[in-house]
């Protein structure tokens, strides 16, 4: 029989909190839907839930995973996530997909991409939030991380496609960042965006199996020599390249060992916690920006005058900067 699912408006904040703490997946999913909603009353309810849940101090590790389309991200997450679940961890998989606004397609919209993992009772997979600007998408992901951690998920995998600004956004909200690459380092480096090679804590040459094995080992050496000349994103940590096969499931356990070493080392040096504190500050500023933005554009006077202001800019009868300042001043004068 189909489980009766209450509408989100009928559920109290307290019910959400208690449900999430008990790892009730239905309530967790509904709370994430509140976080992702652009409606004001949902936003406010979601903030109250998050505020209460932030009191719980759960230890978790947040791992970002990136790579160009076809690099094997979903196959890797399927193997790696299942491996972790079998070790007794609780794994949540989230995604940031800034390109979905343009293409309307969304990574992980199709759950069958991680078929094995999605069936595991210890795993929770959430497709990427859509709509809104990149700032909105990253706020939603940050808050979803908090909800998943409160529900007891202690490994958070945040996937992003190697296009757009996704890597930079994800790097900024995780503890460890993993770049999946294909064989043929030279070819790939040419298509890789500037600065990406400086972001990861580990480079994984995927598809190291069958006939591809030799090429993968060669790519690993090439990447290692390139990485040697770049400065690492994480202080006192040397980013290196390893090989893995998501299909044959080789290299998966070694990758987890590397991540555990990283966690131990950065916790010992305090960098782990320092990074999290910096990320909290970024979150604070993002939220402030977003709220100010929302209040501005939702103000009745601004709504009323915006059209006219746009016209004056279009026709050139008034300069952009003057028009902008007039609007902002109008908002400040009438903000109550
Ligand atoms: P994504 O776009 O980065 O999520 O890539 P996918 O996980 O969808 O993988 C792209 C293709 O590569 C699929 O056809 C996979 O079956 C294949 N693939 C992924 N990982 C491996 C691997 O470790 N070995 C081999 N031989 N193929 C792989």
């Amino acid at each position: 029989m189909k489980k009766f699912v209450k509408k989100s408006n009928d559920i109290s904040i307290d019910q959400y909190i208690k449900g999430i703490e008990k790892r009730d997946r239905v309530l967790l999913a509904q709370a994430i839907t509140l976080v992702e909603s652009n409606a004001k009353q949902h936003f406010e309810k979601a903030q109250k839930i998050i505020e209460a849940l932030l009191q719980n101090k759960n230890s978790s590790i947040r791992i970002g995973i990136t790579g160009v389309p076809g690099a094997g991200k979903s196959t890797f997450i399927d193997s790696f996530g299942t491996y972790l679940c079998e070790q007794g961890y609780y794994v949540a998989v989230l995604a940031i997909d800034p390109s979905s606004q343009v293409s309307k397609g969304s990574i992980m919209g199709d759950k069958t991409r991680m078929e094995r993992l999605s069936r595991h009772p210890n795993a929770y997979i959430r497709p990427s939030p859509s709509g809104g600007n990149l700032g909105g998408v990253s706020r939603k992901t940050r808050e979803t991380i908090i909800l998943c951690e409160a529900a007891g998920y202690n490994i958070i995998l945040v996937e992003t496609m190697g296009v757009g600004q996704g890597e930079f956004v994800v790097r900024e909200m995780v503890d460890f960042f993993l770049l999946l690459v294909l064989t043929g380092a030279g070819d790939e480096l040419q298509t890789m965006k500037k600065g990406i090679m400086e972001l990861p804590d580990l480079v994984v040459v995927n598809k190291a199996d069958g006939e591809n094995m030799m090429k993968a080992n060669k790519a690993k050496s090439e990447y290692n020599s390139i990485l040697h000349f770049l400065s690492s994103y994480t202080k006192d940590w040397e980013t290196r390249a390893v090989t893995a096969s998501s299909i044959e499931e080789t290299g998966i356990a070694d990758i987890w060992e590397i991540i555990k070493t990283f966690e131990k080392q950065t916790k010992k040096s305090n960098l782990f916690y320092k990074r999290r504190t910096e990320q909290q500050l970024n979150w604070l500023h993002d939220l402030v920006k977003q709220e100010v933005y929302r209040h501005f554009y939702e103000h009745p006077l601004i709504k009323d005058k915006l059209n006219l202001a746009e016209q004056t800019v279009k026709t050139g009868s008034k300069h952009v900067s003057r028009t902008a300042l007039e609007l902002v001043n109008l908002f400040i004068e009438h903000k109550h």
Side-chain angles (χ1 to χ4, degrees):
M1 210 169 66
K2 215 173 161 190
K3 200 173 161 190
F4 174 70
V5 179
K6 274 189 174 181
K7 272 219 204 115
S8 57
N9 285 347
D10 302 336
I11 307 167
S12 72
I13 291 175
D14 206 43
Q15 281 172 311
Y16 274 118
I17 295 166
K18 292 215 165 77
I20 290 169
E21 284 174 340
K22 276 193 265 163
R23 202 178 300 122
D24 179 326
R25 285 151 166 275
V26 177
L27 281 174
L28 172 64
Q30 283 179 314
I32 297 174
T33 304
L34 283 184
V35 155
E36 290 175 356
S37 161
N38 292 322
K40 189 172 170 235
Q41 75 270 27
H42 291 162
F43 174 81
E44 282 167 2
K45 199 168 183 177
Q47 295 310 313
K48 288 190 183 133
I49 298 167
I50 290 163
E51 194 185 332
L53 291 172
L54 272 173
Q55 315 295 326
N56 307 2
K57 288 270 174 280
N58 288 333
S59 73
S60 68
I61 179 133
R62 303 167 185 168
I63 304 168
I65 297 172
T66 192
V68 293
K73 293 178 296 301
S74 42
T75 317
F76 175 77
I77 294 173
D78 201 31
S79 293
F80 185 55
T82 307
Y83 169 82
L84 295 172
C85 287
E86 278 164 10
Q87 303 273 311
Y89 292 104
Y90 286 87
V91 178
V93 183
L94 317 172
I96 281 217
D97 181 8
S99 64
S100 66
Q101 285 159 262
V102 187
S103 65
K104 294 262 190 281
S106 146
I107 48 170
M108 303 214 329
D110 177 6
K111 275 204 186 163
T112 55
R113 287 175 75 225
M114 293 165 201
E115 215 180 318
R116 210 153 51 107
L117 184 62
S118 64
R119 283 199 308 265
H120 202 290
N122 286 18
Y124 179 74
I125 302 180
R126 180 79 183 185
S128 60
S130 56
N133 50 20
L134 194 54
V137 172
S138 58
R139 171 188 67 77
K140 291 168 188 177
T141 308
R142 273 199 189 102
E143 294 177 1
T144 303
I145 291 176
I146 302 297
L147 294 180
C148 290
E149 288 175 350
Y153 291 94
N154 47 11
I155 299 184
I156 313 289
L157 304 179
V158 187
E159 178 191 4
T160 186
M161 253 202 283
V163 291
Q165 289 297 305
E167 300 93 338
F168 298 94
V169 174
V170 172
R171 170 75 262 191
E172 220 280 296
M173 57 174 74
V174 295
D175 308 307
F176 186 92
F177 198 56
L178 188 155
L179 170 68
L180 268 190
V181 293
L182 294 158
T183 52
D187 303 342
E188 198 169 14
L189 273 176
Q190 287 193 343
T191 57
M192 214 176 265
K193 270 179 300 171
K194 215 170 157 251
I196 297 296
M197 274 313 283
E198 288 172 17
L199 297 181
D201 296 307
L202 180 68
V203 173
V204 175
V205 182
N206 193 31
K207 309 193 189 182
D209 46 45
E211 290 175 357
N212 221 9
M213 199 67 208
M214 282 237 307
K215 274 204 271 174
N217 279 323
K218 187 167 168 268
K220 179 179 87 172
S221 315
E222 286 168 358
Y223 273 107
N224 272 326
S225 40
I226 296 159
L227 288 165
H228 191 70
F229 290 104
L230 295 174
S231 53
S232 291
Y233 187 89
T234 304
K235 199 172 156 264
D236 298 330
W237 175 261
E238 198 181 327
T239 301
R240 58 195 166 102
V242 295
T243 54
S245 166
S246 307
I247 287 183
E248 292 187 351
E249 296 184 31
T250 48
I252 302 288
D254 295 339
I255 292 171
W256 179 232
E257 282 308 313
I258 293 171
I259 297 175
K260 277 199 299 189
T261 306
F262 176 93
E263 186 186 10
K264 222 161 126 189
Q265 190 182 311
T266 52
K267 279 189 171 168
K268 202 168 161 215
S269 70
N270 224 20
L271 189 80
F272 186 94
Y273 306 104
K274 230 173 102 190
R275 184 173 276 173
R276 285 235 175 152
T277 308
E278 276 165 21
Q279 292 174 350
Q280 294 268 82
L281 293 182
N282 287 330
W283 185 11
L284 170 82
H285 291 290
D286 274 1
L287 262 181
V288 169
K289 268 185 247 169
Q290 232 188 307
E291 274 299 272
V292 171
Y293 181 94
R294 193 169 63 81
H295 279 285
F296 178 83
Y297 283 102
E298 279 177 6
H299 197 287
L301 249 182
I302 298 299
K303 275 186 174 166
D304 202 40
K305 295 272 189 275
L306 199 59
N307 221 330
L308 187 68
E310 283 179 356
Q311 285 306 323
T312 60
V313 171
K314 266 193 215 159
T315 56
S317 61
K318 216 187 269 180
H319 196 265
V320 179
S321 61
R322 182 141 151 237
T323 315
L325 283 179
E326 277 176 10
L327 281 173
V328 173
N329 285 333
L330 190 72
F331 174 69
I332 293 170
E333 280 161 26
H334 297 88
K335 64 183 181 304
H336 292 298

